[in-house]
Amino acid sequence: MAKTAAIMLGDGFEPVEAVAPLDALRRGGVQVTTVSIMGRKDVTAAQDVPVIADALVEDADLDGFDVVIVPGGSVGVENLGKCAKLGEALKRRMAAGKMVASICAGPTVLAELGLLEGRRATCYPGCETVFPGGVYMKDKVVVDDNLITSEGPGTALDFGIAVLRAVAGDAAADQVAAGMLLGEQ
């Protein structure tokens, strides 16, 4: 059975932080669904990049995915943080040990839900000030059991490969990384 991922989208999300992981995951055979929290499938990313999501959060079973990904972008994170369905799903997933991944300012959504307590994580430099009880790591990508976090747009491909590795295994991640000329992962 194919592995699955949901990438959450709210107006103002950072496009590279959603599209780069989506690309790496799909190349690795993961079925990726982009999910809008805006009540409509057309979402406007930062820099006015239009994106059409695959599904609406109202219609998505966020518990059924192998991983749920929260991208950054300051306005996007603000919008994602207001989505009660996403917040409840993230709480359930973390409590059940299911995989959650987040990049840039996205980990602040997790922090505000109290999900980084005692966990190692990274984020966009400066956002770590809202990590109550979390352990901020100054690394490009941090994997802490079922939690994967990354710094920002410049680390989006590394993040995507790390999520692919966790979901689909080393062979898939190594093959995709080599095909993308990413070198040693």
Side-chain angles (χ1 to χ4, degrees):
M1 187 165 154
K3 297 295 185 175
T4 59
I7 299 179
M8 307 307 299
L9 304 179
D11 283 344
F13 75 92
E14 182 61 47
V16 73
E17 295 170 4
V19 175
L22 181 148
D23 186 345
L25 289 164
R26 285 193 177 160
R27 286 175 191 245
V30 176
Q31 292 179 351
V32 180
T33 302
T34 54
V35 181
S36 169
I37 57 104
M38 301 308 300
R40 53 184 156 68
K41 287 188 175 181
D42 57 315
V43 182
T44 303
Q47 297 83 42
D48 292 322
V49 176
V51 174
I52 305 297
D54 300 314
L56 300 176
V57 71
E58 302 86 73
D59 303 325
D61 174 14
L62 297 180
D63 296 327
F65 290 94
D66 292 302
V67 62
V68 171
I69 300 170
V70 178
S74 60
V75 175
V77 164
E78 197 174 300
N79 284 322
L80 291 172
K82 294 176 188 174
C83 181
K85 182 171 181 180
L86 173 59
E88 291 305 313
L90 291 170
K91 288 177 188 176
R92 284 190 306 274
R93 293 185 68 80
M94 292 295 287
K98 292 183 176 181
M99 190 165 306
V100 171
S102 189
I103 184 170
C104 194
T108 64
V109 172
L110 306 177
E112 289 176 15
L113 294 168
L115 301 176
L116 296 183
E117 185 76 31
R119 304 299 298 266
R120 292 179 300 114
T122 193
C123 61
Y124 191 80
C127 291
E128 73 277 4
T129 59
V130 295
F131 273 29
V135 179
Y136 173 69
M137 309 294 292
K138 192 176 172 132
D139 296 317
K140 290 197 303 186
V141 177
V142 175
V143 179
D144 185 351
D145 295 322
N146 64 316
L147 176 65
I148 301 171
T149 55
S150 189
E151 282 184 326
T155 63
L157 281 173
D158 292 322
F159 173 67
I161 295 297
V163 175
L164 177 61
R165 186 173 305 286
V167 171
D170 290 337
D174 291 345
Q175 182 178 6
V176 170
M180 296 177 114
L181 303 176
L182 294 179
E184 194 77 25
Q185 291 296 316

